[in-house]
Amino acid sequence: MSGDLSRLAMTVLHPGYEGTSVPDWLRRALGEGLGGVVLFARNVINAQLVRHLRAENPDTVVAIDEEGGAVTRLEVLAGSSFPGNRALGVVDDVTLTERVGRQIGRMLGELDITLNYAPDADVNSNPANPVIGIRSFGPTPDLVSRHTVAYVNGVQGAGVATCAKHFPGHGDTVTDSHLALPTVHASREVLFARDLPPFRAAIAAGVRSIMSGHLLVPALDPSMPATLSRTAMTELLRGELGFDGMLVTDAIEMQAVAAMFAPGEIAVRALSAGVDAICVGLATEESLHAMRDTIVAAVRAGELPEERLAEAAARVLALSRWYGAQAALRDKARGDVDEGVGLEAARAALTTSGTARLDRAPLVVEVNTRFSKAVDPLTPTGITAALTSLLPNTARLQLEPMGDLPDLAADGRPVVLVVHDAARYDWVRSTVAKALAVRPDVIVVDTGVPAPPGGAVHVATHGISRVSAQAAAEWLTQ
């Protein structure tokens, strides 16, 4: 009994780990039935690493966040080969989105990765949203639903499972759930009309997994975040929407829930609410065993029904079996290389105004650009790197947040002002206005959700990726 309970508890735990090789404690845990492992850029992911994980437990669910655009684990150094969801929504060609999804699935399938924590199915209805933004296909439920289905079909058609997130919808928030608990102030009617349609569509399309959002949604549950709410996870998602696949939490060390309870209690509460897998962004042997033991103790104390734990573990194993049955699809996708689709999508997503072109090396002023934390800040990336490859001697200046502009009037070079999410930030729009006041010829490039264009030339990429930067640089120099 205790051994069975322990194994069930291990099956529902899906941790990440530190380091570039599989630690001994993780190997042992996999041998004890650990149900999943979450891979991050810090792990330096390759096929050999995944083989080492599967050698200990062939059935483990190997998961990764590979959305494309701003969120990539496999291409973190150079930037993603795919422009991201908002760019795909701007193009609004579901065939193109499915092609992109298929190539992401092909890339993951070649590494033998079970599950992609994507697509982001949130409707970015609040322009002030600090964490979703360009990760969403857009601001309307119909648009997001269409492209969520296309992405799911693309990735799963290549034999890799997908995960629609962050249920019941993280789009109408002004708080980052990594830092605190966001509240969605919407009626049940608004939730059903605006936030839930993409999840309904994903379920109808056969999405294999859904990720819960650490969100307080008073219209559903006034006291508990959705991840820990039986009303949201079981009554709504299972009951009303009819989802029967694997339900996984967002990372439980995020402050939205970590500030409320200890990890073991979060796991027990989430399982009780109806979740099947507990995503732990970074675990140690001690923390993993502590969560396992807390789950086992909760079952023995009657706080968590053993049947509920067994059901959760069964859903994890069902996802693993589904992946195992898709080998033929992965083999077919391996030969279906559509190498240029990411750049094709990035080019199609560009929104431009003006006609000026760069014919010599510019000064690139980066106002509030976002880059991977894995890259040395002194290493040119993004728009600067893309322009440098086309115009050698391109110069770069990074402003501190809310920092003062250099004397652009005295600089004879063309000036490219790179901003991110100008629609969200008053100070960014003010910086752009100041630059244009002294240099009306300044070229503005926005890599996020843009403000209305100003100045002679404005380029919106609608995404942070290598191909988005390349598409913008090509347009500016052609």
Side-chain angles (χ1 to χ4, degrees), residues 130-153:
V131 68
I132 302 302
I134 57 173
R135 296 171 62 196
S136 165
F137 288 112
T140 62
D142 181 59
L143 177 72
V144 175
S145 296
R146 290 199 308 275
H147 289 275
T148 293
V149 168
Y151 190 105
V152 167
N153 288 342

Side-chain angles (χ1 to χ4, degrees), residues 47 50 54 64 74 101-116 155 158-161 323 326-327 329-331 333-334:
V50 179
R54 294 204 181 281
I64 194 171
L74 298 178
R102 183 168 179 79
Q103 291 307 299
I104 291 174
R106 181 179 67 82
M107 183 167 64
L108 298 179
E110 286 181 345
L111 295 172
D112 202 14
I113 290 172
T114 316
L115 173 65
N116 190 8
V155 176
V160 173
Y323 175 81
Q326 310 310 310
L329 287 181
R330 290 192 293 278
D331 287 343
R334 192 171 290 117

Side-chain angles (χ1 to χ4, degrees), residues 148-454:
T148 293
V149 168
Y151 190 105
V152 167
N153 288 342
V155 176
Q156 292 193 171
V160 173
T162 54
C163 180
K165 61 188 183 186
H166 307 80
F167 186 84
H170 207 321
D172 186 17
T173 59
V174 293
T175 302
D176 183 343
S177 50
H178 293 86
L179 307 176
L181 178 62
T183 299
V184 178
H185 299 283
S187 67
R188 189 177 173 89
E189 292 71 26
V190 169
L191 286 171
F192 271 74
R194 181 192 65 191
D195 296 307
L196 297 186
F199 294 99
R200 283 190 186 275
I203 292 166
V207 71
R208 306 308 304 183
S209 179
I210 288 178
M211 178 179 284
S212 67
H214 300 324
L215 314 160
L216 187 66
V217 189
L220 299 177
D221 189 325
S223 60
M224 280 292 144
T227 297
L228 310 180
S229 168
R230 184 171 178 79
T231 304
M233 297 294 99
T234 295
E235 293 176 16
L236 176 57
L237 183 54
R238 300 289 191 201
E240 293 188 55
L241 302 191
F243 179 63
D244 194 39
M246 190 187 83
L247 178 50
V248 60
T249 69
D250 208 344
I252 64 168
E253 64 266 46
M254 292 165 64
Q255 285 303 300
V257 290
M260 300 176 70
F261 304 109
E265 186 170 355
I266 294 171
V268 169
R269 286 175 175 267
L271 290 163
S272 297
V275 169
D276 305 308
I278 310 300
C279 171
V280 188
L282 181 59
T284 63
E285 183 172 21
E286 292 73 22
S287 67
L288 184 71
H289 287 166
M291 283 183 281
R292 176 201 64 192
D293 294 346
T294 302
I295 293 169
V296 170
V299 173
R300 288 180 171 153
E303 298 165 9
L304 173 65
E306 184 176 349
E307 296 76 16
R308 170 78 273 273
L309 179 60
E311 177 187 57
R315 286 205 181 103
V316 172
L317 295 174
L319 178 65
S320 175
R321 285 195 299 272
W322 177 89
Y323 175 81
Q326 310 310 310
L329 287 181
R330 290 192 293 278
D331 287 343
K332 186 174 186 301
R334 192 171 290 117
D336 185 14
V337 179
D338 192 359
E339 196 169 329
V341 67
L343 183 56
E344 177 186 338
R347 286 169 175 158
L350 287 183
T351 305
T352 62
S353 62
T355 57
R357 294 292 189 270
L358 293 170
D359 57 3
R360 55 201 169 97
L363 169 65
V364 179
V365 181
E366 298 177 351
V367 176
N368 67 328
T369 44
R370 288 178 55 194
F371 301 115
S372 164
K373 293 175 182 175
V375 179
D376 184 330
L378 299 178
T379 303
T381 55
I383 302 295
T384 303
L387 282 172
T388 300
S389 70
L390 297 173
L391 296 171
N393 301 317
T394 290
R396 179 196 200 196
L397 175 66
Q398 289 179 292
L399 292 190
E400 293 295 319
M402 303 195 192
D404 293 329
L405 286 164
D407 184 1
L408 299 179
D411 198 311
R413 294 170 293 186
V415 176
V416 178
L417 205 64
V418 181
V419 302
H420 183 75
D421 278 355
R424 276 187 57 214
Y425 297 108
D426 290 338
W427 73 270
V428 171
R429 295 193 297 276
S430 174
T431 301
V432 171
K434 288 174 184 174
L436 290 170
V438 295
R439 284 284 299 270
D441 63 335
V442 161
I443 295 168
V444 179
V445 179
D446 196 322
T447 61
V449 180

